[in-house]
PDB file of all heavy atoms in Angstrom:
ATOM      1  N   VAL G 725       9.642  24.406 -17.987  1.00 87.00           N
ATOM      2  CA  VAL G 725       9.361  23.100 -17.579  1.00 87.00           C
ATOM      3  C   VAL G 725      10.676  22.191 -17.769  1.00 87.00           C
ATOM      4  O   VAL G 725      11.312  22.214 -18.758  1.00 87.00           O
ATOM      5  CB  VAL G 725       8.308  22.428 -18.521  1.00 87.00           C
ATOM      6  CG1 VAL G 725       7.989  20.948 -18.155  1.00 87.00           C
ATOM      7  CG2 VAL G 725       7.032  23.235 -18.562  1.00 87.00           C
ATOM      8  N   ARG G 726      10.918  21.519 -16.760  1.00 84.00           N
ATOM      9  CA  ARG G 726      12.189  20.638 -16.849  1.00 84.00           C
ATOM     10  C   ARG G 726      11.876  19.170 -16.820  1.00 84.00           C
ATOM     11  O   ARG G 726      10.828  18.709 -16.042  1.00 84.00           O
ATOM     12  CB  ARG G 726      13.068  20.931 -15.679  1.00 84.00           C
ATOM     13  CG  ARG G 726      13.675  22.274 -15.873  1.00 84.00           C
ATOM     14  CD  ARG G 726      14.634  22.565 -14.612  1.00 84.00           C
ATOM     15  NE  ARG G 726      15.786  21.674 -14.715  1.00 84.00           N
ATOM     16  CZ  ARG G 726      16.993  22.073 -15.206  1.00 84.00           C
ATOM     17  NH1 ARG G 726      17.052  23.301 -15.711  1.00 84.00           N
ATOM     18  NH2 ARG G 726      18.056  21.347 -15.237  1.00 84.00           N
ATOM     19  N   LYS G 727      12.407  18.363 -17.601  1.00 81.00           N
ATOM     20  CA  LYS G 727      12.159  16.942 -17.560  1.00 81.00           C
ATOM     21  C   LYS G 727      12.729  16.334 -16.293  1.00 81.00           C
ATOM     22  O   LYS G 727      13.737  16.643 -15.952  1.00 81.00           O
ATOM     23  CB  LYS G 727      12.868  16.193 -18.822  1.00 81.00           C
ATOM     24  CG  LYS G 727      12.464  14.802 -19.069  1.00 81.00           C
ATOM     25  CD  LYS G 727      13.168  14.142 -20.200  1.00 81.00           C
ATOM     26  CE  LYS G 727      14.310  13.509 -19.800  1.00 81.00           C
ATOM     27  NZ  LYS G 727      14.284  12.522 -18.695  1.00 81.00           N
ATOM     28  N   GLU G 728      11.989  15.407 -15.749  1.00 83.00           N
ATOM     29  CA  GLU G 728      12.406  14.762 -14.524  1.00 83.00           C
ATOM     30  C   GLU G 728      13.668  13.944 -15.067  1.00 83.00           C
ATOM     31  O   GLU G 728      13.559  13.170 -16.030  1.00 83.00           O
ATOM     32  CB  GLU G 728      11.312  13.767 -13.986  1.00 83.00           C
ATOM     33  CG  GLU G 728      11.641  13.159 -12.752  1.00 83.00           C
ATOM     34  CD  GLU G 728      10.479  12.206 -12.322  1.00 83.00           C
ATOM     35  OE1 GLU G 728       9.257  12.535 -12.634  1.00 83.00           O
ATOM     36  OE2 GLU G 728      10.781  11.223 -11.597  1.00 83.00           O
ATOM     37  N   PRO G 729      14.773  14.042 -14.330  1.00 85.00           N
ATOM     38  CA  PRO G 729      15.873  13.366 -14.722  1.00 85.00           C
ATOM     39  C   PRO G 729      15.687  11.709 -14.611  1.00 85.00           C
ATOM     40  O   PRO G 729      15.115  11.257 -13.597  1.00 85.00           O
ATOM     41  CB  PRO G 729      17.021  13.665 -13.840  1.00 85.00           C
ATOM     42  CG  PRO G 729      16.320  14.415 -12.733  1.00 85.00           C
ATOM     43  CD  PRO G 729      15.006  14.791 -13.065  1.00 85.00           C
ATOM     44  N   GLY G 730      16.103  11.064 -15.706  1.00 88.00           N
ATOM     45  CA  GLY G 730      15.944   9.618 -15.679  1.00 88.00           C
ATOM     46  C   GLY G 730      16.823   8.982 -14.648  1.00 88.00           C
ATOM     47  O   GLY G 730      18.037   9.348 -14.554  1.00 88.00           O
ATOM     48  N   CYS G 731      16.320   7.919 -14.053  1.00 92.00           N
ATOM     49  CA  CYS G 731      17.123   7.367 -12.970  1.00 92.00           C
ATOM     50  C   CYS G 731      16.802   5.808 -13.017  1.00 92.00           C
ATOM     51  O   CYS G 731      15.748   5.437 -13.037  1.00 92.00           O
ATOM     52  CB  CYS G 731      16.783   7.828 -11.565  1.00 92.00           C
ATOM     53  SG  CYS G 731      17.584   6.921 -10.192  1.00 92.00           S
ATOM     54  N   SER G 732      18.013   5.073 -13.060  1.00 94.00           N
ATOM     55  CA  SER G 732      17.823   3.616 -13.099  1.00 94.00           C
ATOM     56  C   SER G 732      18.619   3.008 -11.937  1.00 94.00           C
ATOM     57  O   SER G 732      19.618   3.445 -11.550  1.00 94.00           O
ATOM     58  CB  SER G 732      18.324   3.022 -14.396  1.00 94.00           C
ATOM     59  OG  SER G 732      17.473   3.390 -15.420  1.00 94.00           O
ATOM     60  N   VAL G 733      17.992   1.973 -11.341  1.00 93.00           N
ATOM     61  CA  VAL G 733      18.584   1.371 -10.252  1.00 93.00           C
ATOM     62  C   VAL G 733      18.795  -0.107 -10.504  1.00 93.00           C
ATOM     63  O   VAL G 733      18.042  -0.753 -11.176  1.00 93.00           O
ATOM     64  CB  VAL G 733      17.580   1.371  -9.007  1.00 93.00           C
ATOM     65  CG1 VAL G 733      17.971   0.546  -7.879  1.00 93.00           C
ATOM     66  CG2 VAL G 733      17.469   2.930  -8.617  1.00 93.00           C
ATOM     67  N   ILE G 734      19.932  -0.587 -10.125  1.00 94.00           N
ATOM     68  CA  ILE G 734      20.270  -2.056 -10.328  1.00 94.00           C
ATOM     69  C   ILE G 734      20.823  -2.502  -8.908  1.00 94.00           C
ATOM     70  O   ILE G 734      21.652  -1.782  -8.310  1.00 94.00           O
ATOM     71  CB  ILE G 734      21.260  -2.288 -11.492  1.00 94.00           C
ATOM     72  CG1 ILE G 734      21.445  -3.776 -11.601  1.00 94.00           C
ATOM     73  CG2 ILE G 734      22.497  -1.571 -11.259  1.00 94.00           C
ATOM     74  CD1 ILE G 734      22.237  -4.160 -12.853  1.00 94.00           C
ATOM     75  N   GLU G 735      20.504  -3.732  -8.626  1.00 92.00           N
ATOM     76  CA  GLU G 735      21.063  -4.349  -7.290  1.00 92.00           C
ATOM     77  C   GLU G 735      22.034  -5.317  -7.662  1.00 92.00           C
ATOM     78  O   GLU G 735      21.902  -6.286  -8.435  1.00 92.00           O
ATOM     79  CB  GLU G 735      19.873  -4.905  -6.515  1.00 92.00           C
ATOM     80  CG  GLU G 735      20.293  -5.390  -5.146  1.00 92.00           C
ATOM     81  CD  GLU G 735      19.168  -6.190  -4.497  1.00 92.00           C
ATOM     82  OE1 GLU G 735      18.462  -6.990  -5.223  1.00 92.00           O
ATOM     83  OE2 GLU G 735      18.918  -6.126  -3.297  1.00 92.00           O
ATOM     84  N   VAL G 736      23.246  -5.262  -7.163  1.00 93.00           N
ATOM     85  CA  VAL G 736      24.281  -6.216  -7.238  1.00 93.00           C
ATOM     86  C   VAL G 736      24.840  -6.625  -5.890  1.00 93.00           C
ATOM     87  O   VAL G 736      25.304  -5.734  -5.174  1.00 93.00           O
ATOM     88  CB  VAL G 736      25.488  -5.693  -8.098  1.00 93.00           C
ATOM     89  CG1 VAL G 736      26.669  -6.662  -8.202  1.00 93.00           C
ATOM     90  CG2 VAL G 736      25.010  -5.252  -9.536  1.00 93.00           C
ATOM     91  N   GLY G 737      24.739  -7.818  -5.624  1.00 87.00           N
ATOM     92  CA  GLY G 737      25.271  -8.391  -4.387  1.00 87.00           C
ATOM     93  C   GLY G 737      24.600  -7.738  -3.199  1.00 87.00           C
ATOM     94  O   GLY G 737      25.301  -7.495  -2.209  1.00 87.00           O
ATOM     95  N   GLY G 738      23.276  -7.527  -3.177  1.00 84.00           N
ATOM     96  CA  GLY G 738      22.581  -6.926  -2.093  1.00 84.00           C
ATOM     97  C   GLY G 738      22.847  -5.413  -2.005  1.00 84.00           C
ATOM     98  O   GLY G 738      22.187  -4.811  -1.106  1.00 84.00           O
ATOM     99  N   GLU G 739      23.645  -4.814  -2.931  1.00 88.00           N
ATOM    100  CA  GLU G 739      23.822  -3.381  -2.742  1.00 88.00           C
ATOM    101  C   GLU G 739      23.095  -2.712  -4.006  1.00 88.00           C
ATOM    102  O   GLU G 739      23.029  -3.190  -5.014  1.00 88.00           O
ATOM    103  CB  GLU G 739      25.372  -3.074  -2.922  1.00 88.00           C
ATOM    104  CG  GLU G 739      25.665  -1.780  -2.293  1.00 88.00           C
ATOM    105  CD  GLU G 739      27.190  -1.521  -2.420  1.00 88.00           C
ATOM    106  OE1 GLU G 739      27.963  -2.526  -2.346  1.00 88.00           O
ATOM    107  OE2 GLU G 739      27.674  -0.328  -2.606  1.00 88.00           O
ATOM    108  N   VAL G 740      22.424  -1.572  -3.650  1.00 89.00           N
ATOM    109  CA  VAL G 740      21.578  -0.878  -4.643  1.00 89.00           C
ATOM    110  C   VAL G 740      22.553   0.203  -5.286  1.00 89.00           C
ATOM    111  O   VAL G 740      23.002   1.098  -4.609  1.00 89.00           O
ATOM    112  CB  VAL G 740      20.359  -0.410  -4.073  1.00 89.00           C
ATOM    113  CG1 VAL G 740      19.633   0.375  -5.077  1.00 89.00           C
ATOM    114  CG2 VAL G 740      19.479  -1.364  -3.530  1.00 89.00           C
TER     115      VAL G 740
END
Side-chain angles (χ1 to χ4, degrees):
Chain G
V725 181
R726 293 177 70 92
K727 190 183 95 46
E728 185 181 331
C731 170
S732 294
V733 168
I734 181 170
E735 190 190 34
V736 173
E739 202 181 327
V740 175

